[in-house]
Amino acid sequence: MCGIVGVISKGPVNQLIYDALLLLQHRGQDAAGIVTMQGTKCFMHKARGMVRDVFRTRNMRALPGTVGLGQVRYPTAGNAYNEEEAQPFYVNAPLTNAHALKKELFDVDRRHINTESDTEVLINIVAHEVERAGRGVPLTPQLVFQAVSAVHKRIKGSYAVIALIAGHGLLAFRDPFGIRPLVFGEADTPEGHEVMVASESVALEGTGHKLVRDVAPGEAIFIDLEGRVHSQQCADAPTLNPCMFEFVYLARPDSVMDGVSVYQARLNMGETLAQRVISTMPPSEIDVVIPIPESSRPSAMQLAQKIGKPYREGFVKNRYVGLTFIMPGKGMRKKSVRQKLNAIASEFKGRNVLLVDDSIVRGTTSKEIVQMAREAGARKVYMASAAPPVRFPNVYGIDMPTKQELIAHDRSIEDIRQFIGADALIYQDVDAMKRVVKALNNKLDGFEASCFDGRYITGDVSADDFATMEAQRRSQGDEEDGTERTRLALQSATEQS
Ligand code: PIN
C-alpha cells in the first residue's frame, strides 16, 4: 500500500504535490518522493522518512515544472530498506507474477531490473509498451491506451499507477479488478485548469480540487500537457472489487472510495458488529463502549448507540512517538503499546467495558490493551473487532504478517479470547461486513477480502507465492532488527547535530 498523486497544472506543482502527500501520509511512512517535469526534463527528490522530514526548502526549489507526481511509500514486496527502491516511486503495485516478469523483461525485452521492487518491474513494462506503441510515430493518447492494454495482459496483481511520459503528459491506470483505489479531480486556478489524480479523494479535497470520479478498474486516463483528460477502458473484463482493508482501517474516514464513504462504511460495520454483540451477550452486562484509537471510532460509536450504552474515550494516543535509538551497551527496547496509548483510569474503574478495535491481526496489541484496561480498574473486559478474523496472508500490498503470525490462522475464537485475556471476544461476520459496505454502492461487484475469506481474486496466487512472501518478510525482519536500526540511529544523530 502506498499513497500516490499526480498533477498537471498551468503553474508550479511542487508545493501542491507536497500538500497532497501530507494528506496521504497515513498510506505510507517509509519513504517519500516527488518528481516534476519541465519540458522533457525531470527533477526528483526522494528519501526515507515522513514527508515533513524528507523535503526542505532547498529540495522544493529544485523541483520546477507544471507537471509532476509524488509518492508516500510503504514497503510491500522487496527489501524494505533498500534506498534505491524509494526511487521508482510512481506506482502502488504489489504484483503476484513479479518474479516471472523480471525474467521475461531480461530475456525478451532486454531490460535489467536493479532492485527487488515490483514497482520497478511494472514501470519497465509500462515504459517498454509505451515505447513500442510509439515507435516511429507520434505518441497519441490512443497509442498510450494500446500500451496500457498490453500492460494489463502481462502483469497480475493489484496496482494503481501514475506515470509521467516525458514531453507528453500524465498517465494513470488501475488494475482490472479495481483492488487499489485511484480517483481524479480538477480545479480552476487563476493560472488555468488543473487536473489531479490521487489514491484518495481527501488529497483532492484538501488541495482545493473537485472530485470528478474514480478511475474505473482497468481504465486508463491520459492527461495531455494542455490538461485535457482522455480516457479509455483498457482491460477485457474489468470488475470492481476494492480492498476491504481500505474501509476497515487504511483509508482516511473523510475519503470516498469507489462511491463509498469510508466513514459511513465504518459506521455500518459498527451496526452489524452490534448485532453480533447482542447475540453473544445481554447488553446489560456492558457498562460502557470504548474505542481503541483511531480508526475504530465510527464503528464503536454506532455500536454503542445500537446497544444503548454510553460511548466514552478511554485511551489517549500519543501523537508524537519518535524513533527508536540503539544506545551503546544497551539492547534495543521495543516500543510498547503503552508508549503509544494511555488509559484514562476513571473511565475503567469498576466498569464492564466493551473495547472496540478495527481489527485483530497478531493479537499482541489487543492482549496488551486488555491488560491495560484491567490495570486501570475495569471489572470485566470484553473485546470486539470491527473486522472478521484475519486468517489468511495478503498478497496485494497490505503489510500482513505471515500465516504463523496471524492470531486467527488455525485458532478458534475461544483460543484467541484466551490469548488476549478478554472475558469475551466478538468478531464481525464476514458476509455481514461485505453486505453493509456493498449497500453503500450497488455497483461494486465484490471485495478483495482474501485475508478474511481466503479467496484471492486475481486467481493466480499459489503456495509458492506464499513461500516467497514469507521468506521476504523473514529477511526484512532480520535486517530491521540489526543494521537498519543502527543506521537510523546514526542518521538521526547527524541530523540533530
Ligand atoms: C489503527 C489501525 N489498526 C489497529 C491496525 C493490531 C491490529 N491493528 C491493526 C489494530 S489506526 S494487532 O487506524 O492506525 O489508528 O492485532 O496486530 O496487534
Side-chain angles (χ1 to χ4, degrees):
M1 198 203 47
C2 289
I4 52 177
V5 58
V7 65
I8 286 208
S9 179
K10 295 284 185 289
V13 289
N14 49 359
Q15 179 75 54
L16 192 55
I17 297 173
Y18 175 86
D19 293 341
L21 287 183
L22 282 172
L23 291 156
L24 296 172
Q25 184 77 81
H26 59 285
R27 300 187 67 83
Q29 295 96 44
D30 182 55
I34 295 179
V35 180
T36 56
M37 187 166 82
Q38 199 172 38
T40 53
K41 221 173 155 205
C42 286
F43 303 84
M44 175 174 75
H45 179 68
K46 49 136 191 173
R48 294 276 319 274
M50 308 269 274
V51 176
R52 62 159 188 258
D53 301 318
V54 165
F55 299 97
R56 296 270 168 259
T57 308
R58 61 176 184 278
N59 311 126
M60 295 298 284
R61 285 205 182 116
L63 292 167
T66 55
V67 184
L69 47 80
Q71 187 209 34
V72 285
R73 185 178 186 278
Y74 175 95
T76 48
N79 180 342
Y81 298 106
N82 181 344
E83 286 280 340
E84 277 311 300
E85 288 182 14
Q87 191 222 333
F89 49 64
Y90 320 92
V91 191
N92 178 4
L95 303 181
T96 44
N97 64 336
H99 192 70
L101 284 171
K102 208 180 278 185
K103 196 169 161 356
E104 189 179 301
L105 271 169
F106 187 73
D107 295 347
V108 185
D109 300 343
R110 304 259 170 257
R111 279 173 182 263
H112 181 67
I113 304 296
N114 286 313
T115 68
E116 287 297 308
S117 150
D118 287 11
T119 300
E120 195 189 349
V121 173
L122 194 148
I123 212 74
N124 269 280
I125 294 199
V126 174
H128 183 79
E129 294 300 337
V130 169
E131 191 191 300
R132 186 151 72 174
R135 205 169 286 159
V137 285
L139 192 67
T140 60
Q142 217 40 50
L143 289 173
V144 172
F145 295 143
Q146 196 180 307
V148 175
S149 300
V151 170
H152 283 325
K153 290 201 172 67
R154 291 181 72 178
I155 64 180
K156 289 200 167 69
S158 67
Y159 46 93
V161 177
I162 306 179
L164 286 173
I165 305 182
H168 292 278
L170 198 71
L171 168 67
F173 59 94
R174 201 174 165 194
D175 72 80
F177 293 96
I179 300 173
R180 300 259 73 81
L182 196 63
V183 289
F184 74 98
E186 55 192 13
D188 282 310
T189 70
E191 284 119 349
H193 193 63
E194 194 168 84
V195 183
M196 183 182 272
V197 192
S199 302
E200 285 189 36
S201 63
V202 64
L204 304 181
E205 262 180 41
T207 54
H209 295 79
K210 203 173 138 292
L211 172 70
V212 173
R213 63 178 173 86
D214 295 88
V215 175
E219 186 189 30
I221 68 167
F222 178 71
I223 308 143
D224 63 30
L225 294 174
E226 301 307 313
R228 283 184 299 252
V229 179
H230 310 259
S231 64
Q232 189 169 299
Q233 179 51 256
C234 299
D236 291 337
T239 52
L240 182 55
N241 311 270
C243 167
M244 190 54 102
F245 266 102
E246 296 283 355
F247 301 110
V248 172
Y249 73 80
L250 295 181
R252 269 191 39 165
D254 45 345
S255 281
V256 177
M257 278 183 172
D258 291 312
V260 174
S261 146
V262 174
Y263 182 71
Q264 187 62 49
R266 289 180 191 165
L267 288 176
N268 288 12
M269 288 183 207
E271 189 110 7
T272 46
L273 186 58
Q275 282 155 11
R276 292 288 287 227
V277 171
I278 294 166
S279 61
T280 311
M281 63 200 299
S284 57
E285 285 187 18
I286 300 164
D287 295 322
V288 64
V289 177
I290 293 180
I292 299 169
E294 313 270 344
S295 55
S296 66
R297 284 201 179 103
S299 309
M301 226 186 288
Q302 193 71 0
L303 186 162
Q305 201 200 18
K306 189 88 185 167
I307 65 169
K309 292 291 166 184
Y311 165 93
R312 304 299 280 266
E313 292 288 338
F315 293 102
V316 179
K317 194 167 180 170
N318 179 7
R319 280 186 261 166
Y320 309 104
V321 177
L323 289 175
T324 304
F325 300 96
I326 302 180
M327 297 303 167
K330 293 221 174 120
M332 199 187 81
R333 244 197 261 166
K334 251 194 143 198
K335 283 231 157 38
S336 73
V337 177
R338 282 157 211 265
Q339 285 169 279
K340 297 176 197 152
L341 282 183
N342 191 37
I344 304 172
S346 54
E347 290 303 326
F348 293 88
K349 211 167 169 42
R351 290 181 177 162
N352 294 344
V353 298
L354 173 62
L355 306 181
V356 182
D357 207 346
D358 51 45
S359 58
I360 300 172
V361 181
R362 291 179 182 81
T364 44
T365 309
S366 314
K367 189 183 169 92
E368 214 167 327
I369 286 172
V370 168
Q371 184 62 30
M372 281 167 73
R374 291 201 196 282
E375 285 167 17
R379 219 156 18 125
K380 290 268 168 74
V381 183
Y382 311 120
M383 173 69 85
S385 163
V390 179
R391 296 192 195 279
F392 307 94
N394 188 289
V395 292
Y396 300 120
I398 309 299
D399 187 24
M400 279 287 147
T402 58
K403 270 187 290 194
Q404 289 69 29
E405 294 168 86
L406 294 173
I407 184 79
H409 177 77
D410 267 356
R411 272 198 198 84
S412 68
I413 306 297
E414 174 53 21
D415 284 350
I416 305 169
R417 183 194 68 75
Q418 282 182 19
F419 174 84
I420 66 172
D423 295 295
L425 171 63
I426 302 129
Y427 269 111
Q428 178 76 267
D429 174 72
V430 65
D431 292 326
M433 174 177 69
K434 290 181 187 171
R435 196 178 57 244
V436 294
V437 182
K438 190 166 158 46
L440 300 172
N441 178 8
N442 60 18
K443 292 204 177 73
L444 297 182
D445 293 297
F447 295 97
E448 196 308 288
S450 51
C451 286
F452 308 116
D453 63 15
R455 288 184 45 243
Y456 294 87
I457 203 143
T458 51
D460 63 324
V461 178
S462 67
D464 283 356
D465 296 313
F466 289 124
T468 319
M469 218 169 54
E470 297 195 1
Q472 267 171 1
R473 284 193 67 95
R474 267 196 301 274
S475 68
Q476 278 171 22
D478 293 347
E479 195 166 329
E480 184 179 350
D481 290 344
T483 49
E484 175 56 15
R485 293 283 167 184
T486 318
R487 201 190 57 72
L488 272 181
L490 286 172
Q491 187 185 334
S492 289
T494 332
E495 275 163 13
Q496 282 161 9
S497 59

